[in-house]
Amino acid sequence: MELKHVVPIMKDTFGHLEFAGEGNVEQRRVNGRLTTVSRSYNLYSDVQRADDIEVILPHTAGEKFFEFEETIQLVNPRIVAEGYKIGERGFTNYILHADDMIKA
């Protein structure tokens, strides 16, 4: 059985999330036209304090406009583990995806 993603218990894993700003926009050429594939946003967590949380939303969610440090909620969040190696050592990058982001 293949692990596709992990569904986090949001309150225990991240606590309250606040909007911290826009991240990157991933775009690709489709039939010669530049099309948005996904957008990433930075979030603050009162549980995960060491780093900002980055969430990736699909293009269907549209562009999001929130006030700085406004409390938000993720719709259908899931975490994907991506492995990579540098030299002889293996590492894991955990990527948070969601279907949408709304005001809490």
Side-chain angles (χ1 to χ4, degrees), residues 13-70:
T13 307
F14 298 110
H16 294 91
L17 292 172
E18 295 177 347
F19 186 75
E22 298 179 3
N24 298 319
V25 176
E26 183 180 344
Q27 296 180 326
R28 291 198 183 128
R29 289 208 179 274
V30 177
N31 296 327
R33 295 177 56 167
L34 206 55
T35 304
T36 300
V37 177
S38 65
R39 288 183 169 86
S40 69
Y41 296 92
N42 297 316
L43 308 174
Y44 294 137
S45 166
D46 62 353
V47 174
Q48 303 286 333
R49 293 181 167 264
D51 294 314
D52 290 353
I53 308 299
E54 182 180 39
V55 63
I56 299 174
L57 302 178
H59 76 285
T60 54
E63 192 170 358
K64 300 297 176 185
F65 300 98
F66 295 103
E67 294 293 323
F68 184 70
E69 294 185 348
E70 183 172 6

Side-chain angles (χ1 to χ4, degrees), residues 2-7 77-81:
E2 181 180 339
L3 176 66
K4 296 187 186 236
H5 60 265
V6 174
V7 178
R78 58 210 173 273
I79 298 173
V80 177

